[in-house]
Amino acid sequence: MLDALADGPVAGPELAADLDVSRAAVWNHVEALREAGVAVESTDDGYAVTDVTGYSAEALAFGLDAPFAVEYRDSVGSTNDLARDLAAEGAGDVAVVADEQTASRGRLDREWVSPPGGVWLSVVCRPDVPPAHAPAYTLAMAVAVARACREAGVDARIKWPNDVLAGDDGGARGGRKLCGVLTEMEGEADRISWLVVGVGLNANVDPDDLPAGADATSLLAERGDPVDRRVLVQRVLEGFDDLRGDLRGAVSAWEEYADTVGRRVRVDTPGGVVEGEAVGVEFPGALVVDTGAETVRVTAGDCEHLRPVDGGD
Ligand code: BT5
């Protein structure tokens, strides 16, 4: 029904014939769409979608220009956990979206706070690439989020490896945390079975409802008014779908939005602390750091932006 109505009004009998269902079934579907926040009206030319106000599977799927099926929940423990369950059952190209999460996670099992009003989204993919390329999906998603936020009027920048920042924090970190990405996967040594890319984007959320120590912000706080989450999710999914088809291009695009490159950084890696100037990012996602003594490629870790040594700004 959503696909059939996407290109404009369609007469009831035509819908019934195209979808091979009865007129009564068409009517039932129209009612279900209305309940899901997709306004369908009877016009002289047939049924037409006149407005989409809901945040539901139907509303998110309507007009989405990317091949993801949408699983929506008002409340869920973690969209990444539900996405992992679906992936384990064989699903691919599914976007799990929730209004609220009650047990969401950051990296290394850190707590992620997800009140109603945010964009809590996890995408299941089954890419035919080696596991070593997985970090490029995190970068691709960060680019998709940064672009969608900029389209919504917020000057988003990316901090390696998985944060999107916005606003002003007085210059210490380069902005407050607007979004975090959590990529998880299962596979063998040479192939990925499934990959789940989770996005926690503080959309219509009051920063007072986020952890005080996290120095977080939201689109609502930066813009001063709420964003249309449906459009935002669609832009993120469409952007991510484009970027995942060209992962090397995604990593180059990442540099355009990166706030980390050119900064002094301290990266806490599994192999120890690396401190120096971030000079670039290399496929599939390594941060290149010039320590003064050598050039180090960091593939994983927590990155802290430091104030410039010369006190520049
Ligand atoms: C991340 O971890 O930034 C990845 C967050 C991914 C969350 C999404 S939501 C959809 C999907 N389902 C899930 O269960 N997870 C994913 P990390 O870099 O480890 O940052 C975690 C830290 O961010 C915490 O220790 C807090 O300090 C801070 N934090 C928690 N909630 C926050 C929020 N809503 N906004 C900003 N910072 C937050």
Side-chain angles (χ1 to χ4, degrees), residues 78-80 101 104-107 110 113 162 177 180 199 202:
S78 152
T79 54
N80 259 44
Q101 297 180 110
S104 45
R105 297 174 277 117
R107 293 179 302 150
R110 287 188 279 237
V113 176
N162 69 321
K177 187 155 171 168
V199 176
N202 303 323

Side-chain angles (χ1 to χ4, degrees), residues 76-81 96 101 103-115 119-122 159 161-163 173 176-184 196-202 205 209-211 213-217 302:
V76 72
S78 152
T79 54
N80 259 44
D81 287 347
V96 179
Q101 297 180 110
S104 45
R105 297 174 277 117
R107 293 179 302 150
L108 307 170
D109 270 336
R110 287 188 279 237
E111 186 197 16
W112 185 259
V113 176
S114 311
V119 163
W120 320 124
L121 158 74
S122 299
K159 172 170 167 284
N162 69 321
D163 288 355
R173 190 165 64 172
R176 300 183 194 279
K177 187 155 171 168
L178 177 67
C179 169
V181 179
L182 174 66
T183 301
E184 300 178 301
V196 168
V197 187
V199 176
L201 171 55
N202 303 323
V205 171
D209 294 335
L210 301 174
D215 211 4
T217 190
D302 279 319

Side-chain angles (χ1 to χ4, degrees), residues 64-66 68 140-141 143-145 147-148 151 232-246 250:
L64 174 64
D65 190 14
F68 299 106
M141 186 56 96
V143 172
V145 169
R147 284 182 176 158
E151 209 178 294
L232 191 67
V233 168
Q234 291 189 336
R235 291 299 163 273
V236 169
L237 290 174
E238 289 161 2
F240 176 72
D241 184 44
D242 281 346
L243 291 158
R244 70 176 170 163
D246 174 17

